[in-house]
Amino acid sequence: MYARITARALARAVPSKAVKATPALTTSAKAFSTSMLSMNTAPKKDRVKVNFPGALDSHFSQVLEIREKMEPIDTFRVMDTDGKLLDSSLEPDVTEDFAVKIYKDMLTLNAMDLILYEAQRQGRISFYMTNAGEEAYIGSAAALDPEDEIFGQYREAGTLLYRGFTLDQFMNQCYSNELDLGKGRQMPVHFGSKALHFQTISSPLATQLPQAAGAAYAIKRSGRKNCVMCYFGEGAASEGDFHAALNIASTTSAPVIFFCRNNGFAISTPANEQYKGDGIASRGVGYGMHTIRVDGNDVWAVYKATQEARKIAVELNRPVLIEAMTYRVGHHSTSDDSSAYRSKKEVEDWKRNDNPIVRMRKWLENKGWWDEAKETSHKSQQRTAVLKSFAAAEKRKKPAVSEMFNDVYDKLTPNLIEQKRELEELIKKYPEHYDTSNYAKEK
Amino acid sequence: MLIAALFRYDIVVVELSPSQEYRSSILSGLKPEIIMEICTRAISFWTYQISQEAKYQEITQRGLEDKVELYEKQQQRMTREVNVELNVLQGDLEQEKRKTADLSEQLDQMSRQLSRLQTLYERQKRRPLFDGALQHAQPHLHTSLKNQYAASNSPPPAEGFLPGIANSKLIKHTHHDALRNPELASVVNGETKKMNTFQAINDAMSIALATDDTACVFGEDVAFGGVFRCTMGLAEMFGRDRVFNTPLSEQGIAGFGIGMAAMGSTAIAEIQFADYIFPAFDQLVNEAAKYRYRSGGEFDVGGLCIRTPSGAVGHGGHYHSQSPEAYFAHTPGLKVVVPRSPIQAKGLLLAAIRDRNPTIFMEPKILYRAAVEMVPVGDYELPLGKAEILTHGKDLTVVGWGAQLYTLENAIQLAQKKMPGLSVELIDLRSILPWDVETVCNSVNKTGRLLIAHEAPKTQGFAAEIASTVMERCFLRLEAPIQRLASYDTPFPLIFEKFHVPDMIRCAEGIERAMKF
């Protein structure tokens, strides 16, 4: 509800803000071209513009320009690492309830991560991926309309949590039980919910990006005032699909926000081996789209950046790239031990010195909206709630075995009907080998 | 006095400086002939003197030159000696440096181990707390689920479990057992070492890098050892310019490998999971496979080998379980290989790397740790395009590859319990493309019955190709319908895996169907 109110309030402010954002971009571009100008024989206005169809804004020049770098894009920040507001004009225009909900969701996500990570270590679930260090991306979910479509990668459980995916739903998916919306077919953390406009996660990287562009185009054509939010990591940005997506979104003017969680690592590969140049953000400018770089550990900066991006997407029907700079505090997944490629101290330093949860908590405390007592009571309530959901999900049966054959197509095909029958007969013939007691009864 | 002096000295220099008048008075009145005579004698005396002087100077010069030469030689020798000594010292310094680096690495490892142990300790400490809290929230833990993963109270390993493989007769447990294979004749006198599959693969790559300066190993996360540890230590041993991380882009990796190979280099590229090979499909199917053919043999990418872990592991779901060999088997120009064990993996991988055709090497990831053999430490290759008969038999031919062979081994044993005396010929196909038609058809011509099993879905799985070829060639010898045992035609389903793949029971049923037709 809060999200809706703020979104509407902000939509009113669109024209002035959008205009303000554009000159800022051109100013920095002008500053750079001035420095190049001194090398040129004549000022740009006196030189002839090219008429090649592929570069209409370029001028002819007698100076051979070999350019390696552009001005690095700044990183937008609202709070410092102590949660102190850096500029009073940036004070988030939010209610206490709205801010506290974001913070509580960050805590819940953290609690859920801790318990499911431990559960995997104990062999209770087969796999898990934590969000540690990146919880501030919940700020991006808070800036969206609940009907904006989300295409995630796999480390965005917090956006689902914000939208109202329940702890039970999370746990049911991780336990692949009969209540899992995905019917137990995918590994843990591959969540999805039609009701919450969150497309089901798939493991291959970057595949969701061009899909997001297509979805956004369809939404634009439908006339709905919504956009698509597409999350991915800086590693995925090396895939061809990333480049295909940005280009096609840009040329089709699709209302999509590409949100890059640049957490510094793709499993073991550090960002400096992943790409050269000014991060992922510089690619956005290259594809001719509005681009923002933001402190990804600063909830309010992420919130503000997403708000502005959403306005550009929905009001101007243009794609936007946001690069949120952060640090992956956890291992890549439970199959990974990051101490093999980075020092524990580095991780501890990040945890201690720039913790998005601590920053948000301090901001709330400065506002007088949160205190130690609330923290303690909330944390203990939450832990109980998570554990309760966890135990309930663990107890539930797996989906009925015949669910294996459904949803391959809209209806069972002849080969699947035959194979289903074959399996039924096998299970009947060898009940001791095919123990189905842990699976739901066939309907 | 002058005479006495003459007696005492050989040379006497007397400084005479006669005056002009004296000289004219001596010569005056003499005949011109006499004067000429005197002059001639004087000239010849001086000529003699000068030539003697020149000779003396010459000798002196020669002596000096000899000395200079001698000194130069001495100097050179000394320089050489000093250089040698310097080299030795430098070598020592390098060694010391390396030792220091090794020690600090060891220290690093030890401290990492320590921190891991500490975490483990803390976790152990926390566990009762956690369990207590859980019990408090929910007193009854579902026990049957515990059977699935929690029997050991630890997470399932990334590469899965394969129970029973340790007792498999297909595994070569001893040195002699390993070397009894005629295909290993080249290393029959060499040593063997206990290795699991990822170590054998690592060993093969290490040999490929050591024997071929153009060879490079690259892919996502390979520098720190790879997610399955296959490239462990290679970057340290051969340098980061030969063993390196690539950006996360499968089509980039495949295309990059093709480019290296087109320049005559050896490219050993890793695609982290076979499930993620599809972005590279275009590069492999349209580019690598057709590189030689489309250029009329001008160019080729024979130096390209793509390694990729494939197959089911018990908890991989859709995208960490697939066996996509049949997609590539539909592509003339590629070779596709699947090994079944450490010895096979090492020999086949070396052959695949050195083969002059682009090769896709699919490593059943469940075997990475589970399969352990005595592997020859030497450099050896096993033939591509050649199947291996694992057990000889006369009633039924069973064909499989990779991890499926161990399921088949168990299924055969189960069937033999039901049908005593059943004699089965088990064949490891090893190469999917090109495949060994001759060995399989010879066997079917002998047995008259064929069963093929693989993990990939049934429709259009590679068994279909084998079945139709055998039908074409052995039609009159077939005594029962060819049995195809494969996964069901659905995406790979996480929680239904044990019902999905062709397990021991299903394969044994297939054997029975073939025998009782």
Side-chain angles (χ1 to χ4, degrees):
Chain A
M1 195 178 107
Y2 302 109
R4 235 179 233 167
I5 290 165
T6 24
R8 211 177 297 143
L10 285 162
R12 257 180 275 134
V14 164
S16 63
K17 291 254 172 89
V19 172
K20 213 171 144 194
T22 331
L25 265 171
T26 29
T27 321
S28 70
K30 214 177 275 170
F32 190 69
S33 56
T34 323
S35 69
M36 298 299 302
L37 210 107
S38 55
M39 291 159 54
N40 273 317
T41 45
K44 225 165 215 176
K45 63 179 168 54
D46 298 337
R47 287 188 280 127
V48 183
K49 248 190 166 184
V50 306
N51 58 356
F52 302 115
L56 292 169
D57 293 332
S58 177
H59 290 77
F60 284 113
S61 163
Q62 281 69 258
V63 177
L64 174 67
E65 184 189 346
I66 301 177
R67 191 181 289 203
E68 191 197 355
K69 283 183 180 150
M70 310 285 265
E71 280 286 297
I73 298 167
D74 287 341
T75 304
F76 176 65
R77 179 181 246 198
V78 171
M79 311 183 263
D80 66 9
T81 47
D82 264 336
K84 261 215 306 287
L85 206 66
L86 290 162
D87 182 335
S88 57
S89 72
L90 294 173
E91 178 72 46
D93 178 18
V94 293
T95 63
E96 179 179 345
D97 285 352
F98 180 76
V100 168
K101 170 173 165 54
I102 293 180
Y103 180 63
K104 282 184 172 173
D105 281 350
M106 290 169 84
L107 287 182
T108 307
L109 181 63
N110 200 249
M112 189 173 82
D113 275 358
L114 280 174
I115 284 166
L116 285 174
Y117 183 82
E118 281 303 316
Q120 196 280 343
R121 296 284 97 179
Q122 294 186 16
R124 289 188 155 107
I125 60 173
S126 61
F127 178 80
Y128 194 68
M129 295 176 111
T130 65
N131 300 265
E134 301 178 45
E135 294 91 344
Y137 69 69
I138 292 182
S140 69
L144 296 175
D145 181 271
E147 292 191 2
D148 289 342
E149 201 71 27
I150 294 180
F151 284 71
Q153 181 162 299
Y154 46 55
R155 213 185 295 282
E156 296 92 9
T159 62
L160 255 179
L161 188 69
Y162 184 84
R163 286 196 167 185
F165 208 59
T166 63
L167 284 174
D168 285 347
Q169 285 177 305
F170 281 113
M171 298 298 172
N172 290 336
Q173 199 283 332
C174 288
Y175 267 108
S176 312
N177 68 25
E178 60 180 324
L179 296 180
D180 168 22
L181 296 175
K183 301 178 185 167
R185 292 173 189 147
Q186 282 215 78
M187 285 169 82
V189 313
H190 291 63
F191 310 112
S193 164
K194 195 174 172 81
L196 297 176
H197 295 273
F198 189 102
Q199 300 280 318
T200 301
I201 300 298
S202 84
S203 321
L205 287 174
T207 46
Q208 76 276 21
L209 276 90
Q211 297 164 5
Y217 190 75
I219 287 174
K220 180 173 88 169
R221 290 204 64 244
S222 77
R224 277 167 55 202
K225 282 286 162 211
N226 281 106
C227 67
V228 171
M229 180 59 147
C230 179
Y231 293 95
F232 61 102
E234 89 285 351
S238 294
E239 291 279 12
D241 279 356
F242 164 80
H243 298 275
L246 263 64
N247 198 26
I248 204 164
S250 200
T251 55
T252 58
S253 294
V256 50
I257 304 169
F258 294 109
F259 189 103
C260 176
R261 295 177 293 95
N262 189 334
N263 66 16
F265 290 92
I267 305 191
S268 78
T269 306
N272 65 5
E273 288 179 39
Q274 191 64 249
Y275 57 76
K276 299 288 171 202
D278 185 26
I280 304 307
S282 64
R283 275 73 167 149
V285 180
Y287 284 107
M289 71 172 65
H290 292 88
T291 300
I292 303 167
R293 176 176 285 150
V294 62
D295 179 346
N297 289 349
D298 176 342
V299 178
W300 294 126
V302 171
Y303 173 69
K304 176 83 179 157
T306 312
Q307 258 187 340
E308 293 298 326
R310 188 175 186 279
K311 276 186 236 163
I312 296 168
V314 175
E315 304 300 328
L316 308 177
N317 272 326
R318 296 288 301 280
V320 184
L321 173 65
I322 298 176
E323 183 182 24
M325 310 309 293
T326 178
Y327 186 89
R328 193 191 80 207
V329 167
H331 305 300
H332 163 69
S333 73
T334 47
S335 305
D336 176 42
D337 174 9
S338 68
S339 66
Y341 50 82
R342 60 179 187 183
S343 79
K344 230 180 158 169
K345 189 180 169 300
E346 179 187 317
V347 180
E348 289 304 319
D349 284 352
W350 271 98
K351 247 197 240 179
R352 203 175 32 248
N353 299 334
D354 189 2
N355 187 321
I357 295 184
V358 172
R359 276 168 85 170
M360 182 63 169
R361 178 181 168 179
K362 285 186 175 167
W363 183 86
L364 286 169
E365 284 177 349
N366 286 341
K367 291 284 263 185
W369 291 349
W370 197 256
D371 54 34
E372 185 59 40
K374 280 183 181 168
E375 178 93 1
T376 318
S377 97
H378 180 73
K379 273 190 170 166
S380 97
Q381 271 173 24
Q382 206 148 50
R383 196 177 148 79
T384 315
V386 171
L387 285 170
K388 208 173 141 201
S389 273
F390 173 82
E394 190 169 49
K395 202 178 126 191
R396 282 242 165 234
K397 285 193 187 300
K398 307 302 168 201
V401 174
S402 64
E403 280 295 357
M404 173 165 54
F405 298 98
N406 296 334
D407 303 325
V408 181
Y409 298 98
D410 58 342
K411 283 187 250 117
L412 285 181
T413 50
N415 60 324
L416 289 171
I417 292 168
E418 191 185 309
Q419 290 173 5
K420 190 177 160 193
R421 197 175 306 130
E422 179 191 314
L423 179 61
E424 280 164 10
E425 277 160 21
L426 270 173
I427 292 173
K428 213 176 287 167
K429 190 167 170 189
Y430 299 96
E432 74 293 346
H433 184 77
Y434 295 109
D435 178 12
T436 56
S437 61
N438 196 28
Y439 292 77
K441 284 224 156 40
E442 300 292 342
K443 281 169 211 142
Chain B
M1 198 175 140
L2 215 149
I3 290 169
L6 269 174
F7 278 125
R8 246 186 294 152
Y9 301 105
D10 290 343
I11 299 167
V12 176
V13 177
V14 182
E15 200 65 48
L16 296 174
S17 51
S19 67
Q20 197 61 38
E21 295 87 58
Y22 178 74
R23 274 188 244 171
S24 6
S25 71
I26 291 283
L27 293 175
S28 64
L30 292 177
K31 279 187 198 163
E33 291 85 12
I34 302 283
I35 293 172
M36 283 307 288
E37 172 83 24
I38 288 168
C39 286
T40 316
R41 283 195 190 183
I43 286 166
S44 64
F45 169 76
W46 283 111
T47 313
Y48 174 75
Q49 279 293 341
I50 287 164
S51 72
Q52 285 301 308
E53 181 66 26
K55 251 183 218 158
Y56 170 73
Q57 291 290 349
E58 219 173 280
I59 288 165
T60 319
Q61 195 191 347
R62 211 175 302 142
L64 278 170
E65 273 174 1
D66 284 353
K67 259 187 199 157
V68 168
E69 208 175 315
L70 195 75
Y71 283 137
E72 268 176 6
K73 268 188 197 153
Q74 254 173 2
Q75 200 190 346
Q76 273 172 6
R77 201 176 55 228
M78 263 164 71
T79 321
R80 251 200 318 274
E81 277 170 7
V82 169
N83 274 343
V84 167
E85 209 165 320
L86 213 68
N87 274 345
V88 170
L89 283 173
Q90 262 170 353
D92 284 355
L93 186 68
E94 283 295 309
Q95 221 166 7
E96 289 302 319
K97 267 192 201 162
R98 227 172 299 141
K99 262 190 219 163
T100 320
D102 281 355
L103 278 175
S104 61
E105 201 181 318
Q106 267 174 13
L107 181 70
D108 229 39
Q109 267 175 359
M110 299 283 261
S111 52
R112 239 179 273 149
Q113 218 168 4
L114 180 70
S115 74
R116 228 170 290 163
L117 278 173
Q118 269 168 348
T119 335
L120 208 69
Y121 169 68
E122 274 162 30
R123 198 178 295 147
Q124 291 290 356
K125 247 188 3 191
R126 262 204 319 262
R127 183 156 295 168
L129 272 176
F130 180 75
D131 278 354
L134 197 64
Q135 298 289 343
H136 175 71
Q138 176 58 52
H140 308 292
L141 273 174
H142 207 273
T143 44
S144 58
L145 184 79
K146 272 191 143 181
N147 293 341
Q148 195 167 5
Y149 295 123
S152 56
N153 206 28
S154 63
E159 66 287 332
F161 297 112
L162 188 58
I165 189 171
N167 305 320
S168 168
K169 291 203 173 65
L170 309 180
I171 290 286
K172 313 294 180 198
H173 296 284
T174 67
H175 175 83
H176 293 289
D177 208 10
L179 294 177
R180 207 170 292 138
N181 184 349
E183 286 181 342
L184 296 177
S186 68
V187 284
V188 75
N189 295 320
E191 282 175 52
T192 56
K193 201 178 146 196
K194 196 169 172 180
M195 293 184 206
N196 62 27
T197 309
F198 80 68
Q199 288 162 336
I201 285 164
N202 182 285
D203 195 35
M205 282 191 280
S206 178
I207 290 172
L209 286 162
T211 53
D212 176 359
D213 280 342
T214 73
C216 290
V217 169
F218 53 90
E220 292 156 21
D221 302 295
V222 304
F224 93 111
V227 297
F228 288 110
R229 317 314 288 142
C230 290
T231 51
M232 216 156 48
L234 296 181
E236 290 77 2
M237 212 185 307
F238 296 97
R240 287 290 286 255
D241 61 324
R242 295 188 69 195
V243 181
F244 52 91
N245 286 341
T246 62
L248 208 164
S249 172
E250 292 77 16
Q251 71 202 79
I253 293 167
F256 189 89
I258 290 171
M260 280 194 72
M263 293 297 106
S265 293
T266 299
I268 308 166
E270 176 178 308
I271 300 291
Q272 202 161 70
F273 285 88
D275 310 69
Y276 301 142
I277 204 166
F278 300 109
F281 203 64
D282 192 28
Q283 286 287 351
L284 295 173
V285 171
N286 276 334
E287 299 298 316
K290 300 168 175 58
Y291 220 88
R292 177 181 281 122
Y293 193 80
R294 74 184 184 196
S295 69
E298 286 282 301
F299 298 101
D300 70 79
V301 291
L304 175 67
C305 176
I306 304 266
R307 293 177 40 245
T308 188
S310 66
V313 291
H315 56 265
H318 294 1
Y319 303 112
H320 297 84
S321 308
Q322 296 175 77
S323 301
E325 67 270 10
Y327 289 107
F328 296 100
H330 198 52
T331 307
L334 293 180
K335 291 195 177 183
V336 182
V337 181
V338 185
R340 70 165 188 276
S341 75
I343 294 175
Q344 292 290 314
K346 181 177 170 182
L348 288 170
L349 180 55
L350 273 168
I353 290 169
R354 291 165 177 169
D355 188 83
R356 297 323 301 160
N357 298 285
T359 305
I360 298 175
F361 193 79
M362 294 190 177
E363 300 162 2
K365 52 183 159 312
I366 201 162
L367 302 179
Y368 276 141
R369 278 170 209 270
V372 181
E373 285 188 320
M374 294 303 289
V375 179
V377 296
D379 183 347
Y380 66 93
E381 292 175 27
L382 292 170
L384 303 187
K386 198 99 193 69
E388 186 183 0
I389 299 173
L390 302 179
T391 60
H392 291 269
K394 56 181 178 40
D395 301 329
L396 168 72
T397 301
V398 171
V399 174
W401 50 89
Q404 187 66 29
L405 287 162
Y406 301 99
T407 305
L408 287 170
E409 186 191 22
N410 291 336
I412 291 165
Q413 279 173 13
L414 186 68
Q416 282 167 335
K417 267 184 210 152
K418 277 191 183 171
M419 293 174 275
L422 173 70
S423 165
V424 177
E425 185 141 301
L426 179 60
I427 297 178
D428 176 4
L429 199 62
R430 300 200 287 193
S431 281
I432 309 300
L433 189 70
W435 67 283
D436 189 350
V437 177
E438 193 189 352
T439 299
V440 173
C441 288
N442 283 348
S443 175
V444 177
N445 278 332
K446 183 172 68 178
T447 61
R449 292 179 164 86
L450 174 64
L451 179 148
I452 314 146
H454 56 61
E455 262 179 30
K458 183 170 184 178
T459 300
Q460 192 63 8
F462 198 68
E465 176 61 31
I466 299 174
S468 39
T469 303
V470 167
M471 192 275 293
E472 282 167 357
R473 297 189 182 218
C474 315
F475 185 65
L476 291 175
R477 277 294 297 128
L478 284 173
E479 289 170 36
I482 297 170
Q483 301 294 315
R484 283 191 289 153
L485 279 300
S487 285
Y488 293 128
D489 290 330
T490 77
F492 204 99
L494 178 78
I495 206 67
F496 307 118
E497 177 171 329
K498 65 175 178 177
F499 304 104
H500 179 69
V501 296
D503 64 350
M504 174 183 74
I505 295 286
R506 247 155 83 190
C507 292
E509 281 272 303
I511 294 174
E512 225 179 309
R513 272 200 303 275
M515 294 315 299
K516 293 187 173 163
F517 182 76

